[in-house]
Amino acid sequence: MKTRIVQIDENNIDGEAVRQAGEIIRSGGLVAFPTETVYGLGGDALNPASSRKIYAAKGRPSDNPLIVHIARWEALAAIVKKVPAEAVKLAETFWPGPLTMILEKSDLVPGETTGGLDTVAVRMPSHKTALAFIEAAGGYVAAPSANRSGRPSPTVAKYVRQDLDGRIEMILDGGDVELGLESTIVDLTEQVPTILRPGYITGQMLKSALGRVEEDVTILRSDSGQAPKAPGMKYRHYAPKGELTIISGSEQQVVDYINAQLDQWRDENKKTGVIATDATIGAYRADVCKNAGSRLDESAMARRLYRILREFDDEDVEIIYSESFEGAGVGQAVMNRLLKAAGHRVTELK
Ligand code: AMP
Ligand code: MG
């Protein structure tokens, strides 16, 4: 299959390109498109054959459900059993935007889209191209991130192409995304709303809107002995090809420890990389140093993380160390993704 790549400007949307992309979805094909979080791989959420194609194109296990993207609030009612008051509140506060809600699904949504679950994940993105495309596609676009399963999510179209060229009909290239991490997922089918995946909308923000919210214990830990409630969170994810280890401790301890490791790897002729910050970027003796930015700007770190992981692959880095990024807000989401990318390999310096 030849994949067509079409440039599209969010502020001057090419109506004909969007119409053609919508037509591909309506006839059962796949289109990758920009959202404010990461690029999505879209198919018709109400067509079981389309969802099967998404799993095949990504190489994704089919028990890992897809998020259904809508462009209008009125579209929600048809795909869920009921719209609880909490969903109304969250939509008023955070939609369109980087928040996904889990609700009980209606019969309209095929089991292929929800990985066999009775619940469905729904989000209304804020990206103007995404909204126009979803409308043109019939209003319900199932879209996981547009990467091959296990790889870092794409924040630019170049990386969508790297993973999916020849596997899908079209890529809408809208340039760099704004946020760089996938949506926050909150489950509204539990007694107390529960965060299954942290993101740009933080626990504190959800708590302000709802009064109460819990967190799935597996978000930052691998030793809880529990399976994550979002099926996808159990898989290794976001991983670069090189071996990534997170080092946590005081700044000086971390720099000294990583440099000692780097010296050993150099003796073995391995190509090394480090994820550093503004404060430490000059301190490492690695072949490739990437700057995640200032620790005070967690959003900028979020925006850079996946690109950095992909760039290590582009440069064939074999051994990677990262500083640790604890944080209360978006920093928690950054750490959640970094831990998955590292397969929870962390060295804590005492
Ligand atoms: P992605 O599409 O790559 O952003 O991944 C979607 C995430 O949403 C995965 O971690 C899924 O497991 C999760 N998800 C989607 N639908 C549901 C659902 N009905 N219940 C729980 N988690 C879900
Ligand atoms: Mg994904």
Side-chain angles (χ1 to χ4, degrees):
M1 181 188 304
K2 173 124 182 65
T3 301
R4 239 184 97 197
I5 297 167
V6 180
Q7 314 284 331
I8 192 150
D9 175 359
E10 184 180 14
N11 296 312
N12 184 16
I13 291 177
D14 175 349
E16 181 52 23
V18 165
R19 198 194 59 72
Q20 287 175 18
E23 191 49 44
I24 291 170
I25 301 293
R26 287 171 190 267
S27 51
L30 304 183
V31 176
F33 63 101
T35 79
E36 71 278 20
T37 59
V38 299
Y39 274 76
L41 169 56
D44 181 353
L46 307 185
N47 179 349
S50 296
S51 291
R52 281 196 292 268
K53 276 191 197 168
I54 292 177
Y55 290 112
K58 274 184 72 96
R60 177 172 180 151
S62 59
D63 69 342
N64 186 358
L66 309 173
I67 295 174
V68 179
H69 291 68
I70 58 174
R72 283 179 296 123
W73 166 250
E74 303 78 60
L76 180 64
I79 55 169
V80 299
K81 274 228 169 82
K82 57 177 189 299
V83 180
E86 284 154 336
V88 177
K89 182 80 205 169
L90 289 182
E92 277 171 5
T93 317
F94 300 112
W95 276 6
L99 180 72
T100 296
M101 299 187 220
I102 308 287
L103 296 162
E104 276 170 49
K105 80 171 192 74
S106 75
D107 293 342
L108 199 59
V109 186
E112 280 80 355
T113 299
T114 64
L117 298 176
D118 296 333
T119 54
V120 61
V122 192
R123 174 165 112 82
M124 191 195 300
S126 63
H127 198 288
K128 291 194 202 99
T129 303
L131 292 170
F133 162 64
I134 294 163
E135 279 295 350
Y140 299 99
V141 173
S145 48
N147 50 280
R148 290 281 292 167
S149 192
R151 307 267 302 129
S153 304
T155 53
V156 285
K158 172 175 100 172
Y159 291 132
V160 178
R161 194 170 174 185
Q162 208 174 66
D163 280 18
L164 298 175
D165 196 22
R167 296 172 179 272
I168 61 179
E169 276 79 1
M170 189 190 268
I171 299 172
L172 293 173
D173 178 354
D176 287 5
V177 300
E178 187 191 335
L179 303 180
L181 285 188
E182 304 85 348
S183 57
T184 305
I185 302 181
V186 61
D187 186 350
L188 296 182
T189 66
E190 297 279 335
Q191 282 282 353
V192 178
T194 305
I195 301 171
L196 305 188
R197 178 172 73 183
Y200 196 78
I201 307 292
T202 63
Q204 198 49 50
M205 290 158 80
L206 292 169
K207 202 165 180 189
S208 304
L210 293 178
R212 51 181 199 159
V213 63
E214 283 180 359
E215 271 175 16
D216 187 350
V217 291
T218 64
I219 282 177
L220 290 178
R221 295 173 48 187
S222 61
D223 59 352
S224 65
Q226 261 176 271
K229 288 183 190 138
M233 298 303 276
K234 73 174 180 273
Y235 294 107
R236 182 144 187 253
H237 253 94
Y238 321 122
K241 290 180 187 139
E243 184 182 294
L244 169 63
T245 309
I246 302 166
I247 312 297
S248 120
S250 74
E251 186 176 296
Q252 195 56 51
Q253 270 180 323
V254 169
V255 169
D256 291 344
Y257 178 87
I258 291 179
N259 274 330
Q261 301 295 310
L262 293 171
D263 292 342
Q264 288 185 18
W265 288 116
R266 184 169 320 103
D267 293 342
E268 294 184 32
N269 287 319
K270 293 284 189 190
K271 189 165 182 184
T272 57
V274 170
I275 304 179
T277 53
D278 279 355
T280 56
I281 185 72
Y284 292 108
R285 300 192 285 271
D287 297 314
V288 181
C289 277
K290 300 284 179 190
N291 188 353
S294 159
R295 284 184 178 274
L296 300 177
D297 188 352
E298 294 179 6
S299 307
M301 290 182 159
R303 196 159 52 239
R304 288 179 192 177
L305 178 65
Y306 289 145
R307 180 191 283 259
I308 288 175
L309 294 175
R310 290 263 181 179
E311 285 172 353
F312 282 131
D313 288 352
D314 294 345
E315 297 175 54
D316 296 316
V317 175
E318 299 167 275
I319 301 291
I320 306 165
Y321 292 97
S322 177
E323 296 179 13
S324 178
F325 301 101
E326 287 88 10
V330 188
Q332 191 200 33
V334 173
M335 193 59 188
N336 165 267
R337 305 310 195 275
L338 195 60
L339 281 165
K340 288 201 184 302
H344 282 269
R345 198 167 27 237
V346 183
T347 300
E348 289 188 32
L349 306 174
K350 292 278 178 308

